[in-house]
Amino acid sequence: MLDISSHDIVLVGGGGAGLRAAIAISEANPKLSVAVVSKVYPMRSHTVAAEGGAAGVHLEDDSLDDHAYDTISGGDWLCDQDAVEAFVKEAPQELMRLEHWGCPWSREPDGRVAVRPFGGMKKTRTWFAADKTGFHMLHTLFQTSLKYDAVIRYDEFYATRLLVDDGRAQGVVALELTTGKVQAITAKAVILCTGGCGKIFRFTTNASIKTGDGMALAYRAGAPLKDMEFVQYHPTGLPFTGILITEAARAEGGYLLNKDGYRYLQDYNLGTPEPKPVLRTMELGPRDRLSQAFVKEQEKGRTVEGPYGAVVNLDLRHLGEKTINTKLPFVRELCLKYENIDPITQLIPVRPVVHYMMGGVHTDINGATPLAGLYAAGETACVSINGANRLGSNSLSELLVFGARAGRAAADYVSGQKAPGRALLAQALDEEARLQTQFLRKTGGRESIAELREEMQKIMEQCAGIYRTHESLAGASGKLQELQERFKDIRMDDRGHLFNTELISALELSCMLEVAETMAESALRRTESRGAHQRTDYPARDDEKFLAHSLAYRDAEGRPRVEYAPVTITRWPPAERVYGK
């Protein structure tokens, strides 16, 4: 039996961006009813895994213009500069607001909030809470959200469809994991805050829940996905699990060494004005450049072969036990638990792993998508402040700034909207029938969900990874289409309703396959190299043709149609990309 509930605004995703948006809505208008729909308990959202810190101008020798320029240059001039200017202005305010709400930022001896350097930043501006920054931020946001009675949580509900009527997003259909009950949750506006889609790739720092659900919901409803070809690899992930060894480890002075114990980054152009990077700071080059340098070392035979492929070593031993235990305790904990290595006395094997999506649902500076009533914020959105390469520690600040902006914009929008109509009920019933027909009552089927997922991940890693070519991308696009056809013949063994994880896995895979195709198609059409998108057949940046955002729309056949939109330039014309002085 279909259940129906109604709210003023429904938020999909209970992580940092979703909770900040919920708080902003209640601050703007406490009378608005807000539903927070999350497929995991909010404190298990992936924001909790962020380690290094959140960027915001803090010290006297820094400035908003410096932060803006670092972000724009680091993004290889694909950032919308009006959004960046708003971001750098509001980030320190948001971080201080978290301080007032109880976030335990690390401190200097004189009591001031401590900051650390981070990759691609000329100035020291990354606020941190040891190396568990996301954990403490999410705790603070969650506890603050509990103050507002109008915020109603739907924990462990998986959104399967956007409800759209009269050209407006007016709610979602969600599946309750514990019971299998299908719920129609209607609203005057919807905000998507479901995070990224790193599980499309084989090796990733992302949790298993990062499957592109929000991106797929928007894409299927007609909203375009922007800049999906730009996928960030983090240079220091553990080789088997993909677990992140935070950039803070290098910010505190860690070295990257090849098999000969040599700090190999001094041999590469990391975007510094000098012919070679400064030894003191070279490990804090932009993430795309460091990941590309790893591939070059591998080609030269200077990496270390491990049981899960090539690695280099991260050396923290010279930092000493006190620094590691005080500033990097979680790094040590991860190494001990997952690699049986103690970084106080041993080298840490690392390799580049997929970490972050610069692309996402196309939004304006306030989180609004081209579909009326639909907003997005956080990693699932592309506003765009990250351009072709995100600088480390900008994303946690982005969650706050644009989560708040999307919440305020949605609160203002719904004040002039009518309550959702009865036409949505038919859509919800159609979705309930689809879930039964395509999955729970499906008979036969030869394809394994796990095998299809593994094939997709191998295709993306091999064909759309750190370096790409026309041949590899065209091949990936064709193979992904084949996987979508094969997905129609998946085998379902669990037909129950209670905690049917097989059903959720199938729904997540359907999202990932569609989002993966937008990545391959967008990358195939961008015949240049920029930031995290490196084409060996087109090695130069081409501002004449591609100083533009790609927009992937879903056509009538379910395939991506790629168009382009101009980048907003306000004060910083395109120039050579550098990150240090």
Side-chain angles (χ1 to χ4, degrees):
M1 181 68 181
L2 181 73
D3 279 5
I4 304 172
S5 57
S6 185
H7 300 270
D8 292 297
I9 299 172
V10 59
L11 281 148
V12 185
L19 292 175
R20 184 64 190 96
I23 294 167
I25 294 165
S26 291
E27 288 176 326
N29 185 347
K31 295 181 180 178
L32 293 177
S33 174
V34 183
V36 178
V37 178
S38 177
K39 70 175 175 181
V40 295
Y41 188 73
M43 279 308 304
R44 293 185 61 226
S45 299
H46 196 57
T47 306
V48 81
E51 299 170 34
V57 171
H58 176 58
L59 299 178
E60 294 78 5
D61 68 341
D62 199 2
S63 71
L64 300 181
D65 280 1
D66 282 342
H67 190 184
Y69 184 82
D70 285 352
T71 299
I72 292 161
S73 175
D76 227 347
W77 268 268
L78 202 70
C79 309
D80 283 333
Q81 295 181 15
D82 56 342
V84 172
E85 290 191 77
F87 165 68
V88 300
K89 179 182 178 182
E90 295 171 24
Q93 301 166 14
E94 286 291 332
L95 295 173
M96 188 57 69
R97 185 172 285 115
L98 273 194
E99 154 81 6
H100 295 160
W101 289 344
C103 187
W105 299 116
S106 292
R107 300 281 174 176
E108 298 292 356
D110 64 4
R112 292 186 304 166
V113 171
V115 287
R116 61 172 37 134
F118 239 66
M121 304 275 192
K122 288 194 293 288
K123 300 293 178 65
T124 302
R125 63 171 67 96
T126 297
W127 304 40
F128 63 97
D131 57 354
K132 293 186 177 182
T133 308
F135 173 88
H136 290 297
M137 284 178 59
L138 194 60
H139 265 279
T140 302
L141 290 167
F142 182 63
Q143 290 164 0
T144 303
S145 74
L146 297 178
K147 297 194 306 183
Y148 299 101
D149 293 336
V151 176
I152 309 300
R153 297 207 321 271
Y154 292 76
D155 295 342
E156 298 187 326
F157 277 73
Y158 182 81
T160 65
R161 176 175 173 172
L162 276 175
L163 295 173
V164 180
D165 185 43
D166 194 26
R168 294 185 292 124
Q170 298 189 53
V172 298
V173 177
L175 184 71
E176 185 177 28
L177 274 63
T178 53
T179 65
K181 176 184 67 179
V182 177
Q183 179 109 11
I185 307 172
T186 64
K188 299 174 185 176
V190 178
I191 308 177
L192 299 174
C193 303
T194 57
C197 53
K199 293 305 289 185
I200 286 173
F201 290 80
R202 188 179 180 190
F203 295 104
T204 177
T205 65
N206 289 189
S208 295
I209 59 175
K210 298 288 285 293
T211 52
D213 308 326
M215 295 177 189
L217 288 174
Y219 180 61
R220 292 165 179 170
L225 301 185
K226 181 164 67 179
D227 293 341
M228 293 301 291
E229 61 268 45
F230 297 102
V231 178
Q232 181 171 85
Y233 277 72
H234 196 291
T236 56
L238 293 178
F240 170 57
T241 60
I243 288 172
L244 173 68
I245 298 300
T246 173
E247 196 159 299
R250 287 173 282 125
E252 297 299 334
Y255 301 152
L256 284 172
L257 308 175
N258 65 16
K259 73 175 185 179
D260 302 317
Y262 175 67
R263 289 177 72 185
Y264 61 89
L265 291 173
Q266 60 191 292
D267 295 343
Y268 296 92
N269 173 18
L270 303 179
T272 56
E274 297 86 359
K276 284 190 175 184
V278 180
L279 277 173
R280 183 178 60 83
T281 60
M282 65 187 178
E283 271 84 8
L284 289 180
R287 291 171 177 176
D288 56 340
R289 297 279 174 89
L290 266 63
S291 297
Q292 292 154 23
F294 172 90
V295 175
K296 296 300 184 184
E297 285 293 290
Q298 185 179 14
E299 291 172 351
K300 295 171 185 174
R302 300 202 299 225
T303 53
V304 180
E305 280 304 315
Y308 305 105
V311 298
V312 291
N313 288 314
L314 176 62
D315 189 359
L316 306 183
R317 296 172 298 178
H318 56 285
L319 301 182
E321 184 174 356
K322 181 178 178 181
T323 295
I324 291 173
N325 285 335
T326 302
K327 294 188 174 181
L328 301 169
F330 194 45
V331 167
R332 188 182 184 204
E333 181 183 334
L334 291 172
C335 291
L336 287 167
K337 285 186 175 179
Y338 291 97
E339 293 288 336
N340 198 26
I341 284 172
D342 188 345
I344 292 174
T345 58
Q346 296 172 282
L347 298 170
I348 308 169
V350 293
R351 58 156 288 162
V353 291
V354 166
H355 183 56
Y356 189 88
M357 303 297 142
M358 272 71 75
V361 182
H362 172 40
T363 75
D364 67 12
I365 197 170
N366 292 313
T369 75
L371 177 60
L374 181 64
Y375 298 79
E379 193 178 352
T380 204
C382 182
V383 60
S384 151
I385 67 158
N386 297 311
N389 172 66
R390 175 180 70 88
L391 293 190
S393 75
N394 267 353
S395 59
L396 286 181
S397 307
E398 180 188 1
L399 294 178
L400 302 172
V401 171
F402 293 102
R405 276 180 165 258
R408 290 191 293 266
D412 182 63
Y413 169 83
V414 301
S415 64
Q417 299 300 318
K418 299 181 298 182
R422 297 292 296 174
L424 298 178
L425 178 60
Q427 292 183 35
L429 289 170
D430 284 347
E431 178 65 4
E432 183 181 37
R434 181 185 78 89
L435 295 173
Q436 291 290 330
T437 303
Q438 290 188 12
F439 301 103
L440 293 177
R441 293 178 186 165
K442 187 175 186 296
T443 57
R446 295 169 295 176
E447 299 287 353
S448 160
I449 295 169
E451 289 176 4
L452 290 179
R453 182 173 59 235
E454 187 174 353
E455 285 189 48
M456 171 194 68
Q457 291 171 337
K458 287 181 179 177
I459 289 166
M460 295 301 288
E461 193 84 34
Q462 294 167 3
C463 302
I466 295 173
Y467 285 100
R468 296 111 178 249
T469 66
H470 174 90
E471 183 180 10
S472 72
L473 290 166
S477 185
K479 291 173 184 175
L480 290 169
Q481 289 179 55
E482 291 175 14
L483 290 184
Q484 290 203 56
E485 285 300 311
R486 289 169 57 190
F487 178 80
K488 296 175 183 177
D489 192 33
I490 60 167
R491 181 179 69 253
M492 295 290 296
D493 297 320
D494 187 351
R495 305 192 184 282
H497 290 82
L498 305 183
F499 271 114
N500 190 333
T501 55
E502 185 180 42
L503 173 60
I504 300 303
S505 294
L507 294 169
E508 289 173 333
L509 178 58
S510 71
C511 292
M512 289 191 286
L513 286 170
E514 290 203 53
V515 173
E517 195 177 3
T518 70
M519 292 177 175
E521 287 292 322
S522 298
L524 180 62
R525 283 160 175 72
R526 185 174 288 274
T527 52
E528 65 158 357
S529 289
R530 186 186 298 266
H533 172 70
Q534 293 293 307
R535 290 280 298 262
T536 56
D537 46 354
Y538 294 93
R541 193 177 87 185
D542 186 349
D543 288 342
E544 183 176 339
K545 291 183 180 178
F546 289 107
L547 188 63
H549 298 297
S550 63
L551 297 174
Y553 293 84
R554 191 174 191 263
D555 67 18
E557 284 74 43
R559 298 289 322 288
R561 182 186 79 253
V562 180
E563 301 179 3
Y564 291 91
V567 173
T568 301
I569 307 291
T570 58
R571 298 165 51 201
W572 294 276
E576 182 184 1
R577 177 186 170 197
V578 297
Y579 84 93
K581 289 185 177 178

